[in-house]
Short mmCIF file of all heavy atoms in Angstrom, two decimals:
data_model
loop_
_atom_site.label_atom_id
_atom_site.label_comp_id
_atom_site.label_asym_id
_atom_site.label_seq_id
_atom_site.Cartn_x
_atom_site.Cartn_y
_atom_site.Cartn_z
N VAL A 105 -73.48 -268.17 272.71
CA VAL A 105 -73.41 -269.54 272.05
C VAL A 105 -72.09 -270.25 272.33
O VAL A 105 -72.06 -271.32 272.90
CB VAL A 105 -73.78 -269.43 270.59
CG1 VAL A 105 -73.53 -270.77 269.99
CG2 VAL A 105 -75.20 -269.01 270.31
N SER A 106 -71.04 -269.66 271.89
CA SER A 106 -69.70 -270.25 272.09
C SER A 106 -68.64 -269.23 271.73
O SER A 106 -68.81 -268.26 270.95
CB SER A 106 -69.52 -271.45 271.17
OG SER A 106 -69.40 -271.10 269.83
N ARG A 107 -67.51 -269.44 272.42
CA ARG A 107 -66.33 -268.54 272.11
C ARG A 107 -65.82 -268.80 270.69
O ARG A 107 -65.29 -267.84 270.04
CB ARG A 107 -65.30 -268.69 273.17
CG ARG A 107 -65.61 -268.16 274.51
CD ARG A 107 -64.56 -268.33 275.54
NE ARG A 107 -64.96 -267.63 276.84
CZ ARG A 107 -65.64 -268.22 277.73
NH1 ARG A 107 -66.04 -269.50 277.62
NH2 ARG A 107 -65.96 -267.51 278.83
N GLU A 108 -65.93 -269.95 270.18
CA GLU A 108 -65.55 -270.29 268.87
C GLU A 108 -66.33 -269.50 267.86
O GLU A 108 -65.90 -268.92 266.92
CB GLU A 108 -65.72 -271.78 268.57
CG GLU A 108 -65.41 -272.25 267.10
CD GLU A 108 -65.82 -273.59 266.75
OE1 GLU A 108 -66.48 -274.29 267.68
OE2 GLU A 108 -65.59 -274.00 265.62
N ALA A 109 -67.72 -269.44 268.18
CA ALA A 109 -68.53 -268.67 267.24
C ALA A 109 -68.31 -267.20 267.27
O ALA A 109 -68.14 -266.56 266.24
CB ALA A 109 -70.02 -268.84 267.62
N ASP A 110 -67.88 -266.66 268.54
CA ASP A 110 -67.59 -265.30 268.57
C ASP A 110 -66.34 -264.98 267.85
O ASP A 110 -66.19 -263.95 267.13
CB ASP A 110 -67.33 -264.86 270.08
CG ASP A 110 -68.57 -265.03 270.91
OD1 ASP A 110 -69.71 -265.14 270.36
OD2 ASP A 110 -68.40 -265.09 272.15
N ALA A 111 -65.30 -265.81 267.96
CA ALA A 111 -64.07 -265.62 267.24
C ALA A 111 -64.20 -265.63 265.68
O ALA A 111 -63.66 -264.78 265.03
CB ALA A 111 -63.02 -266.63 267.64
N TRP A 112 -64.99 -266.65 265.19
CA TRP A 112 -65.16 -266.74 263.75
C TRP A 112 -65.98 -265.52 263.29
O TRP A 112 -65.61 -264.92 262.23
CB TRP A 112 -65.90 -268.08 263.47
CG TRP A 112 -65.95 -268.49 261.96
CD1 TRP A 112 -65.06 -269.27 261.38
CD2 TRP A 112 -66.92 -267.95 260.93
NE1 TRP A 112 -65.41 -269.36 260.04
CE2 TRP A 112 -66.57 -268.52 259.80
CE3 TRP A 112 -67.94 -267.06 261.02
CZ2 TRP A 112 -67.19 -268.27 258.49
CZ3 TRP A 112 -68.64 -266.81 259.85
CH2 TRP A 112 -68.31 -267.44 258.70
N LEU A 113 -67.02 -265.18 263.86
CA LEU A 113 -67.81 -264.11 263.43
C LEU A 113 -67.10 -262.75 263.56
O LEU A 113 -67.18 -261.89 262.74
CB LEU A 113 -69.15 -264.07 264.24
CG LEU A 113 -70.10 -265.21 263.87
CD1 LEU A 113 -71.17 -265.31 264.95
CD2 LEU A 113 -70.79 -264.94 262.48
N SER A 114 -66.21 -262.57 264.56
CA SER A 114 -65.44 -261.36 264.74
C SER A 114 -64.45 -261.17 263.55
O SER A 114 -64.29 -260.06 263.08
CB SER A 114 -64.66 -261.32 266.04
OG SER A 114 -65.59 -261.22 267.13
N GLU A 115 -63.82 -262.31 263.09
CA GLU A 115 -62.96 -262.21 261.97
C GLU A 115 -63.75 -262.01 260.76
O GLU A 115 -63.29 -261.17 259.94
CB GLU A 115 -62.20 -263.61 261.83
CG GLU A 115 -61.25 -263.56 260.76
CD GLU A 115 -60.33 -264.82 260.65
OE1 GLU A 115 -60.57 -265.79 261.47
OE2 GLU A 115 -59.43 -264.88 259.81
N ALA A 116 -64.96 -262.55 260.49
CA ALA A 116 -65.72 -262.34 259.33
C ALA A 116 -66.20 -260.90 259.19
O ALA A 116 -66.31 -260.30 258.12
CB ALA A 116 -66.84 -263.37 259.26
N MET A 117 -66.57 -260.36 260.36
CA MET A 117 -67.12 -259.08 260.42
C MET A 117 -65.99 -257.93 260.56
O MET A 117 -66.38 -256.82 260.29
CB MET A 117 -68.05 -258.89 261.67
CG MET A 117 -69.27 -259.77 261.55
SD MET A 117 -70.43 -259.04 260.38
CE MET A 117 -70.97 -257.61 261.35
N GLY A 118 -64.81 -258.24 260.92
CA GLY A 118 -63.81 -257.31 261.12
C GLY A 118 -63.94 -256.36 262.32
O GLY A 118 -63.42 -255.32 262.38
N SER A 119 -64.71 -256.95 263.27
CA SER A 119 -64.89 -256.23 264.51
C SER A 119 -65.31 -257.16 265.60
O SER A 119 -65.72 -258.33 265.33
CB SER A 119 -65.94 -255.10 264.51
OG SER A 119 -67.29 -255.72 264.11
#
Side-chain angles (χ1 to χ4, degrees):
V105 172
S106 71
R107 290 185 173 84
E108 176 191 6
D110 297 345
W112 191 96
L113 288 161
S114 294
E115 184 175 4
M117 292 284 293
S119 61

